[in-house]
Amino acid sequence: MDSRFTILVNSSDGFTDCWGPFFKLLQRYWPGCQSRILLNTETHDYQHPELPVVATKVQGDSPRRLTWSECLSAALDQVQTPLILYFQEDYFIRRAVQAGKVEAALEHMLAHPEVKHIALTGIGSQPPFEPYVDTRFQKIRRRARYRISTQAALWRVETLKSYLVAEENGWMFEIYGTWRARKRDELFLCADYSDASGGPAIEYLHTGIVKGQWLQEIQDDFEANDIDIDFGKRGFYQPKNVLRRKIETGMRLLERPGYLLKQLM
C-alpha cells in the first residue's frame, strides 16, 4: 500500500449508482495504483472485490445531516497519509491515467512542502498560468477563476481542510474558497496538460452528473466500457446557456446576502 497518498472519492449516499462504474473505470485505466481508497459516504458501507475501498460513513451519531463541507472534513480526519488525490464519484475516467505524471506530482509535493496543491486535469483552475521553475508544472495565479476547484488534484490534507467552512456546499466552496485563497500566499500548481505533453494526467468528462441528472455524453463512455446503467432513473441533463447559468448562480448567492457580504469583506 502506498503510504504517500490516499485516493479520496467524495460522494454521498444518494449516488450509489455511480460507485460501481467509477471503480470499474479506475481499475481499468489505472491498474498499477497501490493507494488506499476512501469512499466518502454518510451512512452506507461499500466493498469492492478487488480494490482496497473503505467507506467513511461520516454521519455517525450526528442528530442532523452533515453539510457537504462537514462530510468532507470528517473524511479528511480519516486520512492517514500526508497527501490525498481528490475525486468525486462522477469523474468517470475515460483513458489510461498517465501514472508517470501523477508520480512526478507526488514526488514534487513531497520534496517541496511549500507546494500545497497540484491540479491533474485541464478542467479545474482557469488559465492563464504563470511559469514555474519546473516546466512540468505551471503556477495557478492567486486571482485565477476557480483557484479552489473540486476537480481531480493532489492536496495536502491540512491545506484542503483549512479552506472548508462548515456551512458551505460544494459550489459555495469553489466560489467562496477561491475568494479566500486570493488572500493567502500559497503555491498552487497545475500539471502540464497540453497536447504536446500527452494531455492531462487524468482525463474524464467534466462531471458525469449535473444537478442530479446524467450528462448525455457519458452514454458513449459507458457503452465503450461495457457498463450497463438504467439512465431513466435520473434522466438526462438539458444544458442551459452560459448567461442563464450565471444568472442562476448569482441568484443562489443572493439567497444568503449576509453570508455573501461576509465573504466579500
Side-chain angles (χ1 to χ4, degrees), residues 111-129:
H112 299 275
E114 70 276 13
V115 179
K116 307 299 184 182
H117 160 93
I118 299 183
L120 297 173
T121 75
I123 49 178
S125 302
Q126 299 296 294
F129 301 109

Side-chain angles (χ1 to χ4, degrees), residues 43-84:
T43 62
H44 285 18
D45 198 4
Y46 180 82
Q47 276 123 21
H48 190 278
E50 298 174 31
L51 295 174
V53 181
V54 176
T56 59
K57 296 185 283 188
V58 295
Q59 185 66 35
D61 298 325
S62 175
R64 61 173 179 80
R65 183 176 180 180
L66 301 181
T67 66
W68 183 92
S69 288
E70 287 173 328
C71 286
L72 179 52
S73 181
L76 292 172
D77 287 340
Q78 297 185 29
V79 175
Q80 300 171 5
T81 56
L83 307 176
I84 65 157

Side-chain angles (χ1 to χ4, degrees), residues 138-168:
Q138 296 172 299
K139 285 185 183 180
I140 298 171
R141 294 172 300 119
R142 273 179 76 171
R143 299 198 64 80
R145 290 188 64 212
Y146 293 103
R147 176 169 167 84
I148 296 295
S149 166
T150 58
Q151 298 304 315
L154 288 168
W155 283 92
R156 294 194 185 279
V157 172
E158 70 274 11
T159 300
L160 179 54
K161 194 166 184 180
S162 73
Y163 280 100
L164 294 172
V165 174
E167 55 197 295
E168 292 180 355

Side-chain angles (χ1 to χ4, degrees), residues 145-146 169-176 179 210-211 237 240-257 260:
R145 290 188 64 212
Y146 293 103
N169 57 28
W171 69 268
M172 293 170 71
F173 168 69
E174 288 192 316
I175 293 173
Y176 293 136
W179 295 359
V210 181
K211 296 185 181 298
Y237 176 71
K240 301 173 183 177
N241 65 54
V242 175
L243 177 59
R244 183 175 176 183
R245 291 202 307 270
K246 288 184 176 180
I247 291 174
E248 288 182 351
T249 298
M251 294 300 292
R252 290 169 75 185
L253 293 174
L254 289 171
E255 288 175 358
R256 300 180 60 190
L260 172 62

